[in-house]
Amino acid sequence: MKTFFLSDGDLDEFVTNLIAKSPVFAPVAKKTRFVFNQLESVEDLRLDYDTTILPPKKLFVPTKQDLVTFEHGKYEECLAPGKKILFGVHPYDIKAISMMDWIHEESNFDIYYHSNRKATTIIGSNVQNHYKKAFFGSVCKELKVMGHDMFLTKIADGYLVEVLTKKGDDLLPDGNFTDVSKEQIKNAADVNTKADENCPSKLKNTSLEIKHKIRMYYDSDVWKKKSENCFSCGSCNIVCPTCYCFDIQDEWALEPTSGKRYRRWDACLTCEFSEVSVQGGSENFREERAERFRHRIMRKTSFLNDKLGGPACVGCGRCSGTCTADIADPVSIINEIMEK
Amino acid sequence: MSCSSNHDKNIFLPKNAIIRKASQMTAFETHFTLKMEDESEFIYEPGQIVEAGLFGYGEIPLGLSSSPTQQGSFELVVREVGKVSKALCALKAGDTMTIRGPLGKGFPVSEFVGQDVLIVAGGIGLCPTRSMIRYIMDRRDEFKDFKLLFGARSPDELLFEDDLAYWRCSSDVNYLETVDKPNDRWKGNIGVITTLFEGIDHLDPATRVIICGPPIMYKFVIAQLAKYNISEHHIFVDLERRMKCGVGKCGHCQINDKYVCMDGPVFRYSDIKDLEEAI
Amino acid sequence: MAKVKVAWFDFCCCEGCQIEMTNFGEPFLKLLELVEPVEFREAMSEKTTERINVSFIEGSFSREEDRVRLEEIRERSDVVVAYGACAVTGGINALKNHFEMDDYKEAVYGADKDMPHLDTQDAKPVSAAIKVDYAIPGCPIDKDEFLRVVTQLVHGTSKVYVPTYPVCLECKLRETVCRYDDGDHCMGQVALAGCGAPCPADGIPCEACRGFVENPNEKALEQVLQERGGLSAAWAKKKSQMFTANLRGDA
């Protein structure tokens, strides 16, 4: 790893050079919230964002992604990865991306995800402001923040820049990176530690303790109680950086012989998700709100832990913030069960 | 367009298969015999699944209903229940459908070799288990006693009439059948599938068992098996879910930490009996 | 592929959905390569007596005498598509179902209220009178959805994929700032999606014009409308009547 300093004044030039080179996706303001959008100008960049509405995985698996086009009985895969830079990703989202990298690699390689992922350079940045529901400081400590190419930490007068990969190296000519002092390195480490410590919300137990106890509460009435106000809207799934379920559909185009097969993000909280066609209709193996509600929490705290090496939750707090009924917060559910 | 990745295979891209024969088995089920368009041999294990599809309509998961011991072609049965299956059932000999697979884990054949075997199939559950039934019949010497129990709702819903006729008179299999609702011509057993166990005094506790049928059937059959002291470790269930992707990604078939399409569809009962949503 | 013969019929409605269709522009002209309109009051004067492949019905079933006309259409058509909120759920017309018939007749027709030609009944969806094969909800319909459904239909697709999840999910997919995060209220949690959630994206709360999802959590909606949306208890209770009068628990 190489470490440099980039002054506040030089950040603009660096970003402007990046924009000239390839599309740069970075946090920009949208009313009271933020989203990862393609930067048109450095002025739109908001490294002081708290969190974005959707996680950056949308750049690797778009919310609606064409898989195959067909015409006259012939078909072709839709792969057209374009080089891009993903700028300003928070550490919790970097963790989630490394989980997604593995999920789309293990057992069956997902070429759509990985061709986009491979074409992307990821530049992380520290959390300057906390989202009101964030708890990343107390969850998924097993997994390291890794897989990104460069990381910026805001310190006095500028940024400490860590360059982690060859892809990161390739960007060095685009900015005025200067030498860094030991003190600046220490300051940056403190900034990141404090960001973890200052999360507005906290889990009180380790992932392993949580995994075991939550599973023991599979049959508890806590799920029914907690999900009474659930709308089954699936918002908590859609905004989650470690949710990756999808639905596949075929669609004809207006011309009679062609069309496409696409996938779209799906949500296990919605009623239709767990339906199975059977003769004479359909059966649903998670028919009750409480069952679907439990499935999400189980999936985040225990089902995928062996596969991922930690829980499938990075503590971004998006699910909790997006839930209009205010029942999706994993912290309140987990802490309640852990205190029993 | 090409991919520059070292992982060249696109798990979502199917291959074409030509329908050599399409015959309607019942009011709802069509039986297809297929061959890959590129003439390659389709290699699979009994109990594995494929995603069968038609562009413009979609794909559905189907258990292979033929045995790999049969060379040159493979067979699928499509039941008309939704958009895709309706479109598939309208296909005729000479038409093309798409195939992705084989996918998932089938029956662990080696564990059945040298043992008594009991297969319990209800309704359309005969389709995927037929892959194993035919395997055993084709390599009969490798297995000991072989019993097959089949239950259908009515005589009109009996599948694979030719196979049934053969099994009824074959000395290679002890075949018992029943229907829930008989018609005037039905002379056989009447009642749910578990009533067939009344005719079985003894089963070797080491018997390897396969169960496949409607969700309601599993618990009752498993309760019967307990009476013969058959180990849960030796019972295999073939589960059905809405497997959209077939490759363990889309999440639709997930039961707790298992993906039916990838970890199954065949599961050892002892591995899943504590998973509440399984059966 | 032979052209599919299609016809449009209207019942109790504002015909706004038909107008929406004439606003189509180019995609509609492309659609005309696949279909042949044989009856369409807003756009052509011809009428037909021959067999119709697909009939599109707009408007709610709100007079008993409409039943005969609906049955006739069903008889003449291979496929019946109900389109627009009125035809699919009863729409705004069904607001009256929550009042006494005499009261609304008097409010609308005054002294003439008992004239035989002004006879009326609860506004119901077309499906209350005849079998409907497909439904395209919305007030007005979404042109793109209409086009998508019709395109699949023309291909003989037996079931057209339409979302069953609520509008909230579509807002998230397009990263619309939640109305509640903007200090407003909304009914996207219980409203059937498929429209692409254009209203909240324009800063307008969802009114559930496409109807409810299956099993809408009405109790939670009432609570959230009050606690987070700032609506009064009485208003929160009535809020979803406008488009879902026939779908509410108190229908």
Side-chain angles (χ1 to χ4, degrees):
Chain A
M1 183 177 76
K2 296 176 200 163
T3 316
F4 300 96
F5 179 72
L6 184 69
S7 73
D8 283 332
D10 287 337
L11 178 75
D12 284 12
E13 187 209 7
F14 176 50
V15 174
T16 305
N17 286 342
L18 293 183
I19 294 173
K21 210 165 158 174
S22 48
V24 175
F25 291 82
V28 300
K30 186 169 189 178
K31 290 188 179 170
T32 52
R33 303 287 313 270
F34 298 90
V35 294
F36 278 101
N37 261 3
Q38 187 170 351
L39 271 190
E40 280 170 25
S41 139
V42 66
E43 281 123 58
D44 298 332
L45 176 66
R46 289 291 298 273
L47 287 181
D48 63 339
Y49 78 108
D50 52 5
T51 199
T52 51
I53 299 178
L54 287 187
K57 75 165 183 215
K58 68 176 182 177
L59 294 176
F60 311 135
V61 183
T63 56
K64 192 175 174 190
Q65 181 178 39
D66 293 347
L67 298 175
V68 184
T69 55
F70 54 90
E71 188 166 10
H72 288 295
K74 299 233 177 306
Y75 45 91
E76 201 175 327
E77 59 188 359
C78 310
L79 283 174
K83 266 187 96 162
K84 53 183 164 288
I85 294 167
L86 179 52
F87 196 104
V89 185
H90 281 163
Y92 54 82
D93 271 342
I94 295 175
K95 260 191 207 177
I97 289 172
S98 62
M99 287 183 199
M100 289 303 98
D101 289 352
W102 175 238
I103 288 287
H104 290 92
E105 162 122 32
E106 60 103 28
S107 300
N108 291 298
F109 185 77
D110 189 322
I111 201 167
Y112 296 91
Y113 176 92
H114 277 288
S115 60
N116 283 332
R117 175 68 179 86
K118 204 176 158 199
T120 307
T121 303
I122 299 179
I123 303 176
S125 77
N126 71 301
V127 177
Q128 298 182 23
N129 287 298
H130 285 88
Y131 185 49
K132 58 186 176 183
K133 303 282 192 170
F135 60 104
F136 53 79
S138 59
V139 69
C140 201
K141 306 305 284 179
E142 299 83 345
L143 293 190
K144 289 201 175 71
V145 178
M146 56 182 274
H148 52 310
D149 304 292
M150 191 184 259
F151 194 87
L152 271 58
T153 304
K154 183 81 192 78
I155 51 175
D157 306 321
Y159 297 84
L160 181 101
V161 180
E162 294 160 279
V163 182
L164 301 131
T165 63
K166 164 87 175 54
K167 273 184 186 170
D169 258 351
D170 292 345
L171 304 179
L172 287 175
D174 296 309
N176 181 28
F177 296 98
T178 57
D179 286 344
V180 71
S181 70
K182 275 198 175 139
E183 202 191 335
Q184 284 172 316
I185 294 176
K186 189 186 169 298
N187 289 347
D190 287 348
V191 164
N192 284 306
T193 309
K194 281 218 175 72
D196 275 357
E197 287 169 4
N198 292 342
C199 279
S201 185
K202 275 186 181 55
L203 290 175
K204 296 171 184 160
N205 300 81
T206 66
S207 302
L208 205 62
E209 289 166 350
I210 293 169
K211 175 187 166 181
H212 290 311
K213 189 140 182 195
I214 298 274
R215 273 206 106 140
M216 276 166 53
Y217 275 75
Y218 194 94
D219 289 321
S220 161
D221 60 358
V222 69
W223 308 112
K224 200 172 164 64
K225 220 176 73 212
K226 281 276 182 188
S227 64
E228 224 161 73
N229 273 358
C230 178
F231 289 109
S232 302
C233 72
S235 292
C236 52
N237 295 132
I238 297 298
V239 300
C240 178
T242 69
C243 271
Y244 56 92
C245 290
F246 57 86
D247 180 31
I248 305 178
Q249 293 289 340
D250 281 25
E251 199 171 279
W252 291 100
L254 258 179
E255 322 95 75
T257 56
S258 71
K260 64 185 179 187
R261 177 167 293 166
Y262 65 89
R263 63 174 163 187
R264 59 160 194 93
W265 291 9
D266 208 347
C268 64
L269 262 289
T270 60
C271 193
E272 189 193 7
F273 187 89
S274 42
E275 268 178 11
V276 213
S277 292
V278 292
Q279 197 180 23
S282 65
E283 262 186 49
N284 196 325
F285 58 95
R286 280 194 292 276
E287 202 165 9
E288 301 296 323
R289 285 180 213 290
E291 292 168 340
R292 300 193 290 272
F293 187 85
R294 174 181 63 195
H295 182 72
R296 182 178 81 96
I297 296 295
M298 289 280 167
R299 210 161 188 268
K300 297 301 158 196
T301 58
S302 66
F303 289 165
L304 295 169
N305 297 34
D306 292 343
K307 193 179 268 193
L308 297 171
C313 173
V314 293
C316 65
R318 287 185 178 99
C319 55
S320 164
T322 202
C323 180
T324 57
D326 198 15
I327 52 161
D329 185 6
V331 178
S332 94
I333 301 160
I334 293 168
N335 284 349
E336 183 178 321
I337 292 176
M338 295 310 287
E339 277 161 24
K340 277 177 192 275
Chain B
M1 281 179 275
S2 70
C3 71
S4 56
S5 165
N6 50 359
H7 296 66
D8 277 335
K9 199 167 157 248
N10 183 340
I11 51 175
F12 294 107
L13 207 59
K15 283 176 132 184
N16 279 339
I18 308 286
I19 299 167
R20 295 177 61 189
K21 211 175 134 199
S23 53
Q24 190 159 359
M25 280 202 305
T26 70
F28 297 102
E29 280 104 7
T30 307
H31 181 187
F32 293 102
T33 305
L34 300 129
K35 194 177 167 60
M36 298 313 286
E37 191 184 55
D38 63 8
E39 298 285 326
S40 62
E41 185 68 31
F42 190 71
I43 296 162
Y44 60 97
E45 290 161 21
Q48 278 194 299
I49 53 170
V50 297
E51 288 279 349
L54 197 57
F55 278 109
Y57 302 89
E59 292 181 316
I60 48 168
L62 295 172
L64 285 145
S65 52
S66 52
S67 160
T69 48
Q70 153 196 326
Q71 300 274 307
S73 67
F74 60 99
E75 297 169 38
L76 297 170
V77 173
V78 183
R79 167 177 281 191
E80 265 192 61
V81 285
K83 164 174 83 165
V84 185
S85 53
K86 277 209 176 79
L88 286 174
C89 282
L91 296 177
K92 301 274 172 281
D95 288 344
T96 304
M97 70 167 81
T98 64
I99 296 289
R100 269 195 305 130
L103 305 165
K105 294 197 175 64
F107 302 107
V109 176
S110 61
E111 284 192 39
F112 286 67
V113 170
Q115 301 292 344
D116 286 0
V117 178
L118 167 67
I119 295 180
V120 185
I124 198 172
L126 187 63
C127 301
T129 45
R130 181 174 177 261
S131 64
M132 190 64 181
I133 298 166
R134 290 204 135 197
Y135 186 94
I136 294 172
M137 295 297 270
D138 284 347
R139 304 173 77 156
R140 190 62 190 85
D141 296 347
E142 295 176 22
F143 305 88
K144 281 161 64 185
D145 182 61
F146 177 30
K147 286 187 177 57
L148 170 59
L149 313 186
F150 174 50
R153 277 199 293 206
S154 73
D156 296 334
E157 292 178 34
L158 291 174
L159 307 163
F160 303 108
E161 292 278 13
D162 293 349
D163 287 31
L164 300 186
Y166 175 63
W167 298 337
R168 279 176 197 129
C169 58
S170 169
S171 57
D172 284 340
V173 56
N174 180 1
Y175 172 68
L176 302 171
E177 62 186 351
T178 183
V179 297
D180 296 352
K181 289 189 193 110
N183 59 15
D184 300 342
R185 282 163 290 127
W186 182 253
K187 299 206 166 55
N189 291 306
I190 299 164
V192 295
I193 197 156
T194 43
T195 57
L196 293 177
F197 281 96
E198 288 161 16
I200 301 174
D201 298 333
H202 175 78
L203 283 174
D204 184 339
T207 302
R208 303 301 197 263
V209 183
I210 290 171
I211 310 171
C212 185
I216 180 95
M217 196 185 93
Y218 292 91
K219 277 176 198 159
F220 291 105
V221 172
I222 287 162
Q224 289 289 332
L225 296 174
K227 294 182 186 164
Y228 301 92
N229 290 320
I230 290 176
S231 159
E232 288 172 347
H233 190 71
H234 292 155
I235 300 173
F236 297 88
V237 294
D238 192 340
L239 299 183
E240 194 177 353
R241 284 294 185 271
R242 184 185 175 189
M243 300 166 244
K244 278 261 169 180
C245 75
V247 289
K249 307 286 184 205
C250 80
H252 281 270
C253 69
Q254 195 183 13
I255 304 173
N256 289 274
D257 45 7
K258 308 259 189 264
Y259 281 87
V260 176
C261 67
M262 200 170 70
D263 302 315
V266 175
F267 290 96
R268 196 183 293 277
Y269 179 60
S270 54
D271 287 348
I272 57 144
K273 66 173 192 146
D274 294 327
L275 303 186
E276 286 80 353
E277 286 166 358
I279 52 178
Chain C
M1 195 186 289
K3 279 197 180 184
V4 176
K5 288 188 169 49
V6 298
W8 279 263
F9 301 95
D10 47 71
F11 287 80
C12 182
C13 64
C14 70
E15 297 182 24
C17 291
Q18 280 181 65
I19 295 285
E20 182 69 0
M21 233 169 284
T22 57
N23 285 339
F24 250 130
E26 201 181 344
F28 193 68
L29 296 178
K30 255 192 140 168
L31 185 65
L32 288 180
E33 291 169 17
L34 302 175
V35 305
E36 181 195 343
V38 291
E39 195 166 329
F40 190 172
R41 199 156 72 100
E42 282 291 334
M44 58 193 279
S45 48
E46 293 87 347
K47 288 198 179 239
T48 183
T49 50
E50 58 188 312
R51 185 96 195 137
I52 304 163
N53 298 124
V54 184
S55 282
F56 297 103
I57 303 182
E58 179 179 349
S60 62
F61 164 46
S62 65
R63 288 184 306 176
E64 191 49 36
E65 62 183 87
D66 288 342
R67 188 188 291 274
V68 183
R69 218 182 121 213
L70 282 165
E71 280 168 353
E72 243 173 51
I73 296 169
R74 179 72 257 189
E75 188 79 4
R76 287 166 61 200
S77 320
D78 300 331
V79 171
V80 168
V81 181
Y83 75 103
C86 301
V88 175
T89 66
I92 287 191
N93 305 334
L95 255 177
K96 69 177 180 181
N97 301 0
H98 287 266
F99 297 88
E100 289 301 320
M101 194 194 289
D102 236 33
D103 290 349
Y104 62 71
K105 277 175 90 169
E106 186 158 345
V108 178
Y109 302 117
D112 298 331
K113 73 181 168 72
D114 291 324
M115 303 275 283
H117 70 286
L118 299 177
D119 195 26
T120 187
Q121 66 181 27
D122 277 3
K124 298 220 166 76
V126 169
S127 61
I130 56 168
K131 180 174 170 275
V132 169
D133 303 296
Y134 301 92
I136 306 172
C139 181
I141 52 155
D142 176 64
K143 286 182 292 193
D144 294 335
E145 186 183 25
F146 180 83
L147 210 60
R148 201 159 41 82
V149 171
V150 176
T151 310
Q152 314 311 304
L153 254 179
V154 168
H155 280 92
T157 301
S158 62
K159 191 180 151 203
V160 181
Y161 176 73
V162 281
T164 57
Y165 49 77
V167 167
C168 276
L169 196 138
E170 288 187 329
C171 269
K172 300 306 165 302
L173 290 176
R174 59 188 288 180
E175 295 192 88
T176 295
V177 175
C178 182
R179 292 313 307 144
Y180 287 94
D181 282 345
D182 220 11
D184 201 353
H185 70 276
C186 192
M187 293 200 292
Q189 305 100 316
V190 293
L192 184 65
C195 51
C199 300
D202 281 343
I204 302 162
C206 174
E207 296 283 356
C209 76
R210 298 167 60 87
F212 278 151
V213 289
E214 235 176 90
N215 297 317
N217 197 335
E218 290 183 74
K219 202 179 123 266
L221 177 72
E222 215 178 298
Q223 194 181 328
V224 173
L225 283 173
Q226 281 181 68
E227 289 173 7
R228 293 201 59 200
L231 268 54
S232 70
W235 187 218
K237 198 172 180 58
K238 283 208 298 208
K239 180 65 194 157
S240 69
Q241 268 183 8
M242 180 146 79
F243 284 105
T244 60
N246 279 330
L247 307 171
R248 284 163 51 104
D250 60 1

